[in-house]
Amino acid sequence: MSGQSITDRITAAQHSVTGSAISKIVCKATTHEIMGPKKKHLDYLIQCTNEMNVNIPQLADTLFERTANTSWVVVFKSLTTTHHLMVYGNERFIQYLASRNTLFNLSNFLDKSGLQGYDMSTFIRRYSRYLNEKAVSYRQVAFDFTKVKRGADGVMRTVNTEKLLKTIPIIQNQMDVLLDFNVNANELTNGVINAAFMLLFKDAIRLFAAYNEGIINLLEKYFDMKKVQCKEGLDIYKKFLTRMTRISEFLKVAEQVGIDRGDIPDLSQAPSSLLDALEQHLASLEGKKVKDSTAASRASTLSNAVSSLANTGISFTKVDEREKQAALEEEQTLLKTLKEQRLKELQKNPTAATTDSSPDSTMGGTINSAPAIDLFSTPSSTNSTSKAANELLDLQPAFQQPLPLSTSNTWGGFTASPTPQQPQNPRGLNVDFESVFGNNTNANNMDSTVASSPNQGMTLNGQQAHKLVSSDLDSSLANLVGNLGIGNGTSKK
């Protein structure tokens, strides 16, 4: 089976319709293609774990749902994706897995679709057990052993005796389940199991580095422990020697499948005389007869053992530095590629840079600098009055001088003289203001009425306007022209 199946495409389309981007990417990362999850999908999911608005339980539940598939490819890739997020994702993801009562229940998984399904089902069961144990270890100590600080001031080197004797067995259990994966080089035949093996390899060397530092701390404190603590410490050290042999076999498999020799640490075993010294010290505490050993010889044996284990720790540190350097080089290469692509785009379309750099630029490259019109501004009454007077004088060129204004009488908001003067009309234009506004007596009476009662003045003003403006525009203009009396001074009916 190769390529995405119809089921994969239908499932991705369903999540596209529902708008669940995370579920869609999970389905794309766990397709039926016999290859490891694609890097772009894993990077997207890692970014999702770093976003605070992403629902981590929903992401984890989606991965658990994919493990219910009957195909070994989908289940194996779901486990690999989960492991990848536990290692490289935000710590919130592994915290949620550690808080769950149940994780992967694949102890009876079996794909009967073919011979390859039978073979891969065995590794799926082992792989799921390790992921469960990894989450349980985090639940017990509240941190991931593969991410703890190492060195002279590391976590496992500075912990006290009581806590050390409780923590090292947790590392041993996780290491045992990891080594139980027990894969040979000839069984790594496809991209799915290869991706899982690479994650297990990185976990193995980091987990053993923490394990190694815990043993160094134990040996340094062993001869100052109580009898019960010495007995526990001796048992822990014997198990450590057994696991060192198993981890060496695991690293040999990694070297056979093509992992670079520089990425594989060198394991230096402690001298066998150290085990004898530890047993003799415990026997002396129990009151048994032992060979006499001086403090100097015991100190030298302990110093040699610690130095051998410290060399192993240095080897693990070099591997970590090499991995970090490789990650930095990959980032720099990616950044350089992006810069080159951007320069090529700018060379092909030089106007794009100008458009992007100037937000005020338009499609034609021109900027409209015309002032905006304020539709909601209130014009000044003085400006509007002077503008109206200028337009009236432009329309009536016979007016040689404006009417004199008076400040004593008010007429509809404008002050006018009660005795208008007849201007000279050289062109024969004669305006009869008495016929328009009535005689002087009516005007004076009206002015006195306005002065005595402002409300009545407003009513008369409205009545006068009603006389001038009739029902339609034509009749109003005809009435106004007749009242103006244009011609020989005689008003037209």
Side-chain angles (χ1 to χ4, degrees), residues 374-413:
D374 191 358
L375 300 178
F376 300 98
S377 62
T378 303
S380 174
S381 60
T382 305
N383 295 335
S384 60
T385 304
S386 60
K387 183 177 180 180
N390 293 335
E391 291 178 355
L392 182 60
L393 292 177
D394 292 338
L395 292 175
Q396 302 294 339
F399 294 143
Q400 295 182 357
Q401 59 183 356
L403 295 175
L405 301 178
S406 175
T407 59
S408 59
N409 296 325
T410 304
W411 176 258

Side-chain angles (χ1 to χ4, degrees), residues 1 106 145 419 434 438:
M1 183 185 299
L106 299 172
F145 289 112
T419 55
E434 293 180 359

Side-chain angles (χ1 to χ4, degrees), residues 329-388:
E329 291 177 357
E330 183 180 358
E331 290 287 340
Q332 292 177 356
T333 303
L334 180 61
L335 182 60
K336 184 178 179 180
T337 304
L338 293 175
K339 287 183 178 180
E340 292 177 354
Q341 291 179 355
R342 182 58 179 168
L343 290 176
K344 291 180 181 179
E345 292 177 358
L346 294 178
Q347 290 176 357
K348 292 180 179 179
N349 189 11
T351 59
T354 307
T355 305
D356 294 340
S357 60
S358 178
D360 295 332
S361 59
T362 58
M363 294 297 293
T366 60
I367 301 176
N368 187 6
S369 60
I373 300 174
D374 191 358
L375 300 178
F376 300 98
S377 62
T378 303
S380 174
S381 60
T382 305
N383 295 335
S384 60
T385 304
S386 60
K387 183 177 180 180

Side-chain angles (χ1 to χ4, degrees), residues 478-493:
N479 188 18
L480 181 60
V481 172
N483 292 334
L484 288 177
I486 300 175
N488 296 328
T490 60
S491 59
K492 298 181 180 179
K493 301 296 181 181

Side-chain angles (χ1 to χ4, degrees), residues 56-97:
I56 296 296
Q58 179 186 358
L59 172 59
D61 291 342
T62 305
L63 290 170
F64 290 143
E65 291 174 0
R66 296 294 287 175
T67 58
N69 200 289
T70 57
S71 173
W72 70 269
V73 182
V74 176
V75 177
F76 216 151
K77 293 174 74 172
S78 301
L79 296 176
T80 306
T81 304
T82 304
H83 191 187
H84 193 89
L85 296 181
M86 294 174 73
V87 175
Y88 299 105
N90 193 281
E91 195 173 2
R92 294 189 304 147
F93 185 78
I94 192 173
Q95 285 176 353
Y96 172 73
L97 296 183

Side-chain angles (χ1 to χ4, degrees), residues 208-481:
F208 191 81
Y211 193 11
N212 184 70
E213 291 192 349
I215 295 299
I216 293 175
N217 189 11
L218 176 67
L219 295 176
E220 291 175 347
K221 297 178 178 179
Y222 181 81
F223 294 101
D224 298 329
M225 292 180 182
K226 300 176 183 179
K227 182 175 66 174
V228 178
Q229 293 176 341
C230 286
K231 189 175 182 178
E232 293 180 4
L234 180 60
D235 184 57
I236 288 174
Y237 181 73
K238 289 180 178 179
K239 292 181 179 179
F240 171 76
L241 296 178
T242 305
R243 284 157 182 78
M244 180 172 282
T245 304
R246 295 185 65 188
I247 193 67
S248 300
E249 296 175 356
F250 184 85
L251 296 180
K252 289 180 181 178
V253 176
E255 187 176 359
Q256 291 174 3
V257 297
I259 295 178
D260 191 79
R261 188 68 184 87
D263 295 335
I264 300 175
D266 296 327
L267 302 182
S268 301
Q269 293 187 355
S272 60
S273 59
L274 176 63
L275 181 60
D276 297 335
L278 297 179
E279 290 176 347
Q280 290 178 7
H281 178 71
L282 178 61
S284 65
L285 292 177
E286 293 176 348
K288 298 179 181 180
K289 293 182 179 181
V290 294
K291 297 179 181 179
D292 294 334
S293 60
T294 61
S297 62
R298 189 173 58 186
S300 63
T301 303
L302 179 62
S303 177
N304 293 332
V306 170
S307 62
S308 299
L309 297 178
N311 291 332
T312 302
I314 294 173
S315 178
F316 283 113
T317 303
K318 291 180 179 179
V319 171
D320 286 344
E321 292 178 354
R322 184 184 177 92
E323 185 177 355
K324 291 179 181 179
Q325 186 65 26
L328 290 175
E329 291 177 357
E330 183 180 358
E331 290 287 340
Q332 292 177 356
T333 303
L334 180 61
L335 182 60
K336 184 178 179 180
T337 304
L338 293 175
K339 287 183 178 180
E340 292 177 354
Q341 291 179 355
R342 182 58 179 168
L343 290 176
K344 291 180 181 179
E345 292 177 358
L346 294 178
Q347 290 176 357
K348 292 180 179 179
N349 189 11
T351 59
T354 307
T355 305
D356 294 340
S357 60
S358 178
D360 295 332
S361 59
T362 58
M363 294 297 293
T366 60
I367 301 176
N368 187 6
S369 60
I373 300 174
D374 191 358
L375 300 178
F376 300 98
S377 62
T378 303
S380 174
S381 60
T382 305
N383 295 335
S384 60
T385 304
S386 60
K387 183 177 180 180
N390 293 335
E391 291 178 355
L392 182 60
L393 292 177
D394 292 338
L395 292 175
Q396 302 294 339
F399 294 143
Q400 295 182 357
Q401 59 183 356
L403 295 175
L405 301 178
S406 175
T407 59
S408 59
N409 296 325
T410 304
W411 176 258
F414 294 94
T415 56
S417 174
T419 55
Q421 298 179 357
Q422 291 289 343
Q424 299 296 328
N425 188 6
R427 297 185 183 182
L429 179 62
N430 186 13
V431 179
D432 190 358
F433 284 92
E434 293 180 359
S435 61
V436 176
F437 298 101
N439 54 16
N440 294 337
T441 305
N442 294 334
N444 292 333
N445 292 337
M446 191 174 295
D447 291 341
S448 62
T449 305
V450 170
S452 61
S453 177
N455 296 330
Q456 294 179 2
M458 293 175 62
T459 305
L460 292 175
N461 202 3
Q463 292 177 359
Q464 183 69 16
H466 181 69
K467 290 180 180 181
L468 292 177
V469 181
S470 61
S471 60
D472 57 270
L473 182 61
D474 294 334
S475 59
S476 299
L477 292 176
N479 188 18
L480 181 60
V481 172

